[in-house]
Amino acid sequence: MKKVLVVGASGLVGRAVAANLEADHTVVRASRSSGDVRVDVLDPSSVQAMFETVGEVDAIVTVTGRQAYGPLSAITSEEIALGLTDKVMGQINVVLAGQSALRESGTITMTSGVMSDPPFPGGIGAHTDNAAIESFARVAATELTGNRRINVVSPAVVIPSWDEPLPAHLIPAGLFQVTAPDLALSYRSSIEDGHTGEVYKVWGTPTD
């Protein structure tokens, strides 16, 4: 049984990951406004305080961050900065502070998104954020010591269940849906399978 810290545990994906893992692991839930410990991932001192409270862990999962969408001709620098600050740096703050709290052979799992490759028009902000997270993790995997690992899960459009799919007209052409419980399986794989520097692409299934 591992001690797993899920940062962003109050969101759709975070709830599913925590529910999946708690069957056979000890799960510590962290988020801005609820959970076992409160944290503001944009504030490095808050992130450090979280780890001082939680102590050493075997795995860290980050499922946090907002990002903006829009075409190159219309998106603003402020909108792009939102994702770089919120989704990218929020997760990086957790990794930077968390590496010293991670037990030997432990793992960190970050979250990117399907808009990283191939390119989707209108997704330039999301592409920038997701590519940054994946590049960060690949390099970090070469530098972590003590058999510590880091991976990324890249989800498609996430829905609660197949009883609540999004209408097809709300999904950009070429993108598919995945349920949060199905997506959670990839976070478990990242923790348990022994890989590092991997991007687990969970890009969903075509729907009618």
Side-chain angles (χ1 to χ4, degrees):
M1 179 177 286
K2 299 179 184 293
K3 181 180 177 182
V4 183
L5 173 65
V6 179
V7 183
S10 63
L12 174 60
V13 176
R15 293 196 304 271
V17 171
N20 178 284
L21 294 174
E22 67 184 356
D24 48 6
H25 297 298
T26 299
V27 175
V28 180
R29 293 169 168 83
S31 69
R32 182 188 292 269
S33 58
S34 63
D36 303 303
V37 60
R38 307 293 174 86
V39 63
D40 177 1
V41 297
L42 303 185
D43 179 358
S45 63
S46 176
V47 176
Q48 186 62 46
M50 173 185 67
F51 282 108
E52 290 172 0
T53 299
V54 173
E56 289 189 339
V57 295
D58 299 292
I60 300 165
V61 173
T62 64
V63 283
T64 63
R66 299 172 297 161
Q67 53 192 175
Y69 299 86
L72 178 64
S73 60
I75 198 166
T76 66
S77 59
E78 290 81 9
E79 288 172 326
I80 291 179
L82 168 69
L84 292 173
T85 300
D86 204 293
K87 183 164 186 175
V88 179
M89 284 310 304
Q91 294 191 67
I92 287 176
N93 287 340
V94 174
V95 175
L96 294 179
Q99 60 183 322
S100 60
L102 194 64
R103 291 174 179 150
E104 195 162 316
S105 299
T107 184
I108 301 170
T109 307
M110 304 176 76
T111 303
S112 61
V114 64
M115 284 191 178
S116 58
D117 180 57
F120 288 94
I124 194 165
H127 276 285
T128 301
D129 305 334
N130 296 334
I133 289 167
E134 292 174 10
S135 293
F136 175 88
R138 288 189 177 105
V139 177
T142 69
E143 297 189 19
L144 286 171
T145 61
N147 294 318
R148 294 171 179 86
R149 301 177 293 110
I150 185 168
N151 297 302
V152 179
V153 172
S154 171
V157 179
V158 185
I159 56 175
S161 73
W162 287 118
D163 294 328
E164 305 174 71
L166 288 176
H169 71 275
L170 294 180
I171 302 173
L175 296 185
F176 304 127
Q177 303 180 63
V178 62
T179 69
D182 286 343
L183 176 61
L185 297 173
S186 292
Y187 289 89
R188 175 180 285 275
S189 295
S190 173
I191 292 169
E192 297 179 349
D193 286 355
H195 299 298
T196 191
E198 294 290 325
V199 177
Y200 291 77
K201 297 179 179 180
V202 191
W203 287 358
T205 302
T207 55
D208 295 329

